[in-house]
Amino acid sequence: MTDETFRLETRAWLAENCPPEMREPLRSEKDICWGGRSYVPSSPAQKDWLERMAARGWTVPDWPKAYGGGGLSPAETKILREEMAAINARNPLNSFGISMLGPALLKYGTEEQKLDHLTKIAKGQIRWCQGYSEPNAGSDLASLATSAEDMGDHYRVNGQKVWTSYADQADWIFCLVRTDKAVKQGGISFVLFDMASEGVSTRPILLISGNSPFCETFFDDVKVPKAGRVHDENKGWDVAKYLLGHEREMISGMGLGGSGGNPLIDGAIATVGLDRDGRLADPLLRASIALFEVRARAFGAMSERFIDELKAGRAHPAQPSMMKYYGTELNKTRHELMMSAGGSDALEWDSERSHGGAHARSWLRTKANSIEGGTSEIQLNIIAKRILDLPS
Ligand SMILES: Cc1cc2nc3c(=O)[nH]c(=O)nc-3n(C[C@H](O)[C@H](O)[C@H](O)COP(=O)(O)OP(=O)(O)OC[C@H]3O[C@@H](n4cnc5c(N)ncnc54)[C@H](O)[C@@H]3O)c2cc1C
């Protein structure tokens, strides 16, 4: 099939199968579909959209069909994304399984692990969380101390993770554990286990935005079968770094602003209005938004090229750090400008007309963008060392 035929067929299929409600901008966290064992659809349309896309393998269009994917080529995947964007279609499934664990399993997993876990991720049946950070291991992640003691056919895991996003709602965890105390990076293994295992507990942490998807996660004598280890024992650091590249790429996508029109420009027009020439009436805000839009479009072009290179295995290992740094800076600026455009009204926190302070809460949430997935300082260190070749 030519790319043009694929585009026309995809357009027709989306027109017929993407429910109108799934073309509306996201209004709250409830509108995001995370899947998982305890998933309760927020509407019949959300359920239909997930099921229809999963049935075609289009929740993970470029994964092989054998693992629940769509088996699409890079060009077809891009066409699908463009056609979805053209009708403002929502992402049918948001998942750390798709954006983080999946790519790592495709590279390092056994055939059995791929067939089991990837298929469930593609259908949204299992929701994953990430057990990397610990109270004394954040930027210096390789200092992690959660121990996995060899018990023959399984590991006995003890320790604590922190900032584990959605740990209290996740079904399974991908987790870094220490299998050798004598060496730092070379003593880490990457394991997968069920959050319902005996000895796992979670405690939510409150954030400045008022929402609390973040948890402390505790492991007390958790029995983890060795079949859940990805890659060799003590080789988990390779998997961890590879996954982090994909996480950083995913986070950088925030710089692109998501689907559903341009809330910055629409919001600015709604609050300050247009002058006689049809331009935004506030010249200072207009200049700031124009500069921002130029940067955002340049980032969009760069990111498209970087993602192609990443998928083709031709990317420089530090490219995700460049994307993560710049994409998160853009997202923070976008929200600062939205707050400027909204004036004091934008600070409303609880009112009905502000949808419970949606703008203000999103703005505060963006402050964490330059911390999650590795801080901006760490990304700049990587760029300085690996790309600019500066001394440590
Ligand atoms: C919203 C959010 C979601 C998260 N979700 C998860 C999750 O699901 N799973 C998970 O495992 N973790 C998660 N994290 C944790 C995140 O990965 C860590 O917060 C991050 O890696 C930084 O570690 P830290 O908080 O310990 O800060 P620290 O490492 O203590 O850093 C403190 C400050 O020192 C600076 N710093 C540290 N070392 C250097 C250096 N060498 N050079 C220059 N500056 C330095 C940092 O940039 C930072 O400003 C999340 C964090 C946030 C904010």
Side-chain angles (χ1 to χ4, degrees):
M1 189 189 304
T2 65
D3 286 351
E4 201 40 43
T5 314
F6 177 77
R7 183 183 293 281
L8 294 176
E9 287 187 3
T10 300
R11 191 175 295 166
W13 187 86
L14 288 172
E16 198 169 321
N17 289 283
C18 181
E21 199 184 319
M22 293 297 103
R23 306 177 195 201
E24 298 288 322
L26 297 172
R27 285 185 218 293
S28 71
E29 175 79 8
K30 209 164 50 65
D31 289 338
I32 301 174
C33 171
W34 288 95
R37 284 180 196 139
S38 45
Y39 165 58
V40 180
S42 66
S43 67
Q46 192 190 61
K47 180 172 181 286
D48 287 347
W49 183 221
L50 171 63
E51 285 175 358
R52 288 172 192 169
M53 288 290 275
R56 284 180 89 86
W58 282 6
T59 50
V60 280
D62 55 351
W63 288 9
K65 285 191 173 173
Y67 310 137
L72 300 189
S73 68
E76 288 169 338
T77 304
K78 203 180 276 184
I79 291 171
L80 171 61
R81 297 210 194 291
E82 284 167 2
E83 291 301 318
M84 286 175 68
I87 59 165
N88 292 328
R90 287 184 192 168
N91 192 0
L93 178 62
N94 242 49
S95 143
F96 295 167
I98 293 177
S99 52
M100 296 196 240
L101 178 63
L105 276 183
L106 283 167
K107 184 170 167 76
Y108 291 103
T110 60
E111 188 58 19
E112 211 177 344
Q113 286 169 337
K114 290 180 196 171
L115 285 170
D116 182 12
H117 296 302
L118 293 178
T119 321
K120 289 176 187 156
I121 290 170
K123 292 198 168 81
Q125 291 170 342
I126 293 292
R127 184 169 180 180
W128 288 84
C129 64
Q130 177 187 35
Y132 273 33
S133 309
E134 298 184 3
N136 292 312
S139 299
D140 186 12
L141 183 60
S143 295
L144 63 95
T146 292
S147 67
E149 200 183 332
D150 192 334
M151 304 301 286
D153 64 340
H154 69 275
Y155 294 109
R156 186 162 62 198
V157 174
N158 279 287
Q160 186 201 334
K161 298 288 171 180
V162 72
W163 302 116
T164 331
S165 305
Y166 305 104
D168 52 348
Q169 295 169 51
D171 305 310
W172 277 63
I173 186 166
F174 48 93
C175 192
L176 296 179
V177 293
R178 181 152 299 287
T179 33
D180 187 343
K181 292 196 172 97
V183 264
K184 203 174 174 185
Q185 280 87 351
I188 293 171
S189 297
F190 188 106
V191 291
L192 314 174
F193 56 94
D194 196 319
M195 289 293 279
S197 309
E198 202 173 320
V200 180
S201 58
T202 61
R203 196 162 62 196
I205 306 170
L206 272 182
L207 287 189
I208 191 174
S209 57
N211 300 324
S212 178
F214 309 99
C215 296
E216 292 177 288
T217 306
F218 303 92
F219 308 125
D220 295 300
D221 285 338
V222 181
K223 193 172 166 183
V224 175
K226 281 197 174 160
R229 192 190 66 231
V230 179
H231 203 23
D232 297 339
E233 189 169 276
N234 295 327
K235 286 277 170 61
W237 190 244
D238 294 343
V239 188
K241 280 191 300 180
Y242 185 76
L243 184 147
L244 269 177
H246 284 271
E247 178 179 8
R248 288 171 183 161
E249 180 216 311
M250 179 263 294
I251 295 173
S252 78
M254 291 172 181
L256 302 171
S259 61
N262 189 326
L264 170 56
I265 293 180
D266 296 345
I269 293 172
T271 45
V272 303
L274 299 174
D275 65 13
R276 263 182 297 165
D277 299 323
R279 301 177 309 176
L280 203 59
D282 177 335
L284 282 180
L285 185 62
R286 186 169 74 228
S288 303
I289 292 180
L291 180 61
F292 172 81
E293 286 297 323
V294 169
R295 290 181 173 158
R297 280 171 202 213
F299 174 74
M302 182 192 85
S303 132
E304 201 160 305
R305 179 164 62 82
F306 275 12
I307 288 169
D308 284 348
E309 288 172 359
L310 206 63
K311 295 237 163 10
R314 285 189 281 108
H316 186 288
Q319 271 178 220
S321 295
M322 291 171 67
M323 289 169 67
K324 204 251 163 186
Y325 174 73
Y326 203 71
T328 54
E329 287 304 308
L330 276 178
N331 200 37
K332 287 195 293 180
T333 308
R334 174 183 290 110
H335 283 265
E336 292 286 343
L337 287 169
M338 278 159 79
M339 293 304 283
S340 301
S344 54
D345 282 0
L347 289 168
E348 283 187 17
W349 194 247
D350 281 326
S351 66
E352 213 169 285
R353 75 168 180 165
S354 71
H355 300 287
H359 273 326
R361 288 174 198 271
S362 304
W363 164 61
L364 290 172
R365 175 62 182 82
T366 62
K367 303 293 175 198
N369 291 167
S370 38
I371 302 173
E372 58 199 307
T375 67
S376 284
E377 289 78 13
I378 295 301
Q379 306 319 307
L380 291 173
N381 280 350
I382 294 172
I383 295 163
K385 269 193 234 164
R386 314 272 321 247
I387 295 185
L388 302 177
D389 230 0
L390 295 174
S392 308

